[in-house]
Amino acid sequence: MTTTPTDATTTSAWKDLTAHRSALTPDLRGWFAADPERATRLTRTVGDLHVDLSKNLVTDETLELLVRLADEVGLPGRIEAMLSGEHINVTEDRAVLHTALRRPAGASPALQVDGQDVDADVQAELAKVSAFADKVRSGEWTGVTGARVATVVNIGIGGSDLGPVMAYEALKPYVQDGLEVRFVSNIDPTDLAETVRGLDPTTTLFIVASKTFGTLETLTNARLARTWLWEQLLAAGAIEDTDEARTQAVAQHFVAVSTALDKVAAFGIDPANAFGFWDWVGGRYSLDSAIGTSLAIAIGPDGFRDLLAGFHAVDEHLRSTPFAQNVPVLMGLLNVWYVNFLDAHTHAVLPYAQYLHRFPAYLQQLTMESNGKSVRWDGTPVTTDTGEIFWGEPGTNGQHAFYQLIHQGTRLIPADFIAVATPAHPLRDGDADVHELFLSNFFAQTKALAFGKTADEVRADGVAEEIVPARVFPGNRPTTSIMAPSLTPSVLGQLIALYEHITFVQGVVWGIDSFDQWGVELGKVLAMQISPAVSGDADAIAAQDPSTRGLIEYYRAHR
Ligand code: F6P
């Protein structure tokens, strides 16, 4: 789509929001005191997610203006354009159809895009991944000695790693006994070495996951893994020292996931053992494609389909729910409010669920690779600040690390708190239900952030006057609380889709293409150019700028 984006800052809603912001004095204490219905009125539901927006720095008027902004920048049309397969990824001239990956079988009307029967292709590939996952889980798929797979090693980076590892960690209770998945991403050889340490090569299956099958880190790690496999199988006397035996070992211990099946074959992996997807799936939106094969093996095809159903529930909510009730739209607009009207630079995501410990890392790619842009989709400069920095750690660990700054620092940090009602491990400490203690921290933190503690309240505790200022909590620190019954595959899919669409909504308001990632290219090219210098090529060293030359010389002197 090469239309000119509407400049949000020229809309009447933006002007009204600017005036509204000037007149607004955030006062969560006062707002809650004056309005007992505030929490109820500002709580929304999407799928199984209970989303309390009431501790945000907004009034009803703020939300009305934000919803108007969404209409004035043409969000309804952009949602339809994405879901119907228009080429909204303009710089790569591609459709953006991760939502097609989770349409149920038989969805009507069928989705046809650019001459492709998208639904049929998605279902066919899902069936292939499912059949393979079943074979591995049942022991029908074996290594060269006939032993069943005990460990799957996913080799990938970025979207070919962060989604699978996050979801595997999140859904550990659903992983089949006797199966383990490990993940290698970094080209630091330490990563591969530590990941395969102690593994039995005869029971290890590698999945090389790369959309392009051209990513330096992944291909290097895949070659290292292949060498490791051959050496270990030879050392164990499991294969003969012949080319045929090596080829057979790769056939039984390596599969691939990619959109570039020709490159998979060139690596030596039988295309029959490769699972495909399509260029209209962005890397950071690809967990629910064949990139999720390691997860499908771990939790099984049924669990994987539950995950997809969770995604789809939120897609449908995005498509059909009026904006005033639409959770991803409202949360995306709130982020715009904080970034553009309240000068927030970062956004914390704080899961009170240890199984979600990789969720913030996953969100960093999703949000920052999507919206870390300075030009709009027509190539013109953005007209306002864009992507904020997402970060976070699971509660309660974060409470003992960085919450100090969120409570009492000078910066406004909107935060999302995420928790589930039913824990996977209902442990007790004597009389105490530990999950309840855990959740008490969630509730306490959002309460403290919203309402703070005044100087008079501190004094009432008998605190010496000179210490009072240090013990005051200003409050008015905004949070969104997201709760679900339990962390099922479906709920995880809902959470991920929620943040995918929040990211999209922000991108639309800012007029940017949230689906390209040109900002990662320059460093990749330079790394290849610098590589000869690092290896000692004198001309290449001389060609570097003084700082880079100095660093390379330091390395060469100390290696
Ligand atoms: O970091 C850039 C990027 O292209 C990501 O968008 C992508 O998820 C990652 O590299 C890995 O790419 P691939 O799956 O093609 O190996």
Side-chain angles (χ1 to χ4, degrees):
M1 205 192 237
T2 49
T3 53
T4 304
T6 301
D7 177 352
T9 66
T10 65
T11 61
S12 80
W14 192 279
K15 289 192 184 72
D16 291 349
L17 278 162
T18 306
H20 172 72
R21 166 66 193 108
S22 303
L24 186 76
T25 306
D27 179 17
L28 284 171
R29 273 192 186 222
W31 292 342
F32 271 90
D35 176 9
E37 294 304 311
R38 180 179 169 91
T40 311
R41 211 179 50 259
L42 295 183
T43 294
R44 301 285 183 276
T45 304
V46 49
D48 296 315
L49 307 180
H50 171 95
V51 182
D52 180 353
L53 304 171
S54 66
K55 294 196 188 84
N56 281 285
L57 303 183
V58 290
T59 63
D60 292 348
E61 187 186 357
T62 321
L63 290 182
E64 281 162 27
L65 290 172
L66 287 168
V67 165
R68 223 176 83 207
L69 175 67
D71 284 324
E72 289 181 17
V73 297
L75 181 61
R78 296 296 291 180
I79 292 173
E80 209 38 54
M82 176 173 74
L83 297 177
S84 64
E86 281 185 39
H87 285 209
I88 63 168
N89 177 356
V90 284
T91 70
E92 296 180 296
D93 192 16
R94 288 175 183 167
V96 174
L97 274 175
H98 44 277
T99 49
L101 298 167
R102 49 260 195 161
R103 280 163 58 90
S108 174
L111 187 60
Q112 298 271 344
V113 175
D114 301 333
Q116 183 187 3
D117 186 342
V118 170
D119 288 333
D121 287 353
V122 165
Q123 291 303 324
E125 211 55 37
L126 182 58
K128 205 172 147 188
V129 169
S130 299
F132 176 69
D134 276 335
K135 273 190 189 171
V136 175
R137 290 165 64 84
S138 68
E140 189 187 335
W141 181 282
T142 66
V144 285
T145 64
R148 65 187 293 162
V149 173
T151 309
V152 174
V153 178
N154 188 81
I155 304 174
I157 196 165
S160 300
D161 168 73
L162 287 162
V165 71
M166 177 276 289
Y168 174 73
E169 291 294 322
L171 298 175
K172 278 260 174 75
Y174 295 84
V175 174
Q176 176 171 291
D177 281 348
L179 268 177
E180 181 200 12
V181 184
R182 299 186 184 187
F183 296 86
V184 184
S185 54
N186 202 328
I187 196 171
D188 181 340
T190 306
D191 198 9
L192 188 280
E194 286 296 337
T195 304
V196 298
R197 186 207 284 269
L199 287 185
D200 176 349
T202 65
T203 60
T204 299
L205 173 74
F206 291 97
I207 300 177
V208 187
S210 174
K211 178 178 172 182
T212 56
F213 226 77
T215 303
L216 178 71
E217 291 88 340
T218 299
L219 293 190
T220 304
N221 278 326
R223 283 190 294 272
L224 290 178
R226 189 174 57 182
T227 302
W228 175 87
L229 179 76
W230 285 334
E231 287 175 358
Q232 296 291 313
L233 289 175
L234 275 170
I239 58 168
E240 302 286 319
D241 191 4
T242 64
D243 286 349
E244 293 74 35
R246 285 188 171 81
T247 304
Q248 189 56 34
V250 170
Q252 289 185 250
H253 291 265
F254 271 81
V255 297
V257 181
S258 186
T259 58
L261 298 181
D262 49 333
K263 293 185 185 163
V264 170
F267 181 85
I269 296 174
D270 184 347
N273 298 334
F275 307 98
F277 59 115
W278 306 273
D279 69 0
W280 38 259
V281 182
R284 53 196 175 274
Y285 298 87
S286 66
L287 167 65
D288 41 1
S289 72
I291 286 291
T293 298
S294 57
L295 182 69
I297 294 171
I299 66 169
D302 288 346
F304 195 72
R305 283 179 197 273
D306 283 351
L307 177 90
L308 298 182
F311 274 99
H312 183 67
V314 179
D315 297 343
E316 285 301 300
H317 173 97
L318 173 77
R319 182 205 291 268
S320 59
T321 308
F323 286 175
Q325 304 298 325
N326 195 311
V327 180
V329 169
L330 289 173
M331 288 182 70
L333 292 170
L334 282 171
N335 290 354
V336 168
W337 170 243
Y338 290 123
V339 169
N340 297 128
F341 296 91
L342 287 153
D343 199 30
H345 291 209
T346 82
H347 190 111
V349 180
L350 308 167
Y352 277 66
Q354 183 61 27
Y355 281 128
L356 287 174
H357 71 109
R358 293 292 289 163
F359 196 59
Y362 167 78
L363 286 185
Q364 288 190 319
Q365 186 198 17
L366 174 65
T367 56
M368 299 201 277
E369 205 169 65
S370 295
N371 286 339
K373 314 274 168 70
S374 304
V375 293
R376 299 188 296 166
W377 70 64
D378 65 347
T380 57
V382 295
T383 55
T384 187
D385 276 331
T386 62
E388 68 274 49
I389 297 156
F390 279 77
W391 58 285
E393 279 288 323
T396 59
N397 299 3
Q399 291 175 205
H400 296 273
F402 52 77
Y403 277 37
Q404 165 66 39
L405 185 146
I406 306 181
H407 281 287
Q408 288 187 314
T410 58
R411 304 194 179 271
L412 181 78
I413 302 176
D416 299 344
F417 281 66
I418 305 170
V420 296
T422 306
H425 305 284
L427 302 180
R428 301 189 75 83
D429 175 24
D431 286 344
D433 177 327
V434 179
H435 186 66
E436 290 186 352
L437 274 179
F438 183 40
L439 287 187
S440 301
N441 277 276
F442 170 113
F443 303 137
Q445 290 296 328
T446 57
K447 189 169 181 169
L449 287 163
F451 306 124
K453 188 166 185 175
T454 64
D456 283 345
E457 287 167 343
V458 174
R459 282 187 197 104
D461 287 344
V463 171
E465 192 57 33
E466 62 273 24
I467 309 296
V468 167
R471 300 198 50 175
V472 167
F473 288 70
N476 291 320
R477 311 273 155 146
T479 60
T480 294
S481 297
I482 303 173
M483 297 197 70
S486 59
L487 190 53
T488 60
S490 171
V491 163
L492 182 68
Q494 293 169 41
L495 273 176
I496 300 170
L498 172 62
Y499 280 91
E500 286 178 347
H501 298 324
I502 289 169
T503 304
F504 171 66
V505 167
Q506 291 181 250
V508 170
V509 173
W510 292 325
I512 59 186
D513 179 346
S514 297
F515 304 100
D516 62 12
Q517 58 284 319
W518 297 107
V520 299
E521 291 306 316
L522 179 59
K524 288 185 192 172
V525 172
L526 289 183
M528 297 316 293
Q529 288 173 3
I530 289 172
S531 175
V534 179
S535 302
D537 181 307
D539 290 343
I541 293 174
Q544 303 304 322
D545 65 87
S547 170
T548 308
R549 188 164 58 239
L551 292 168
I552 293 170
E553 285 169 351
Y554 176 89
Y555 158 70
R556 293 197 56 76
H558 290 85
R559 78 206 152 106

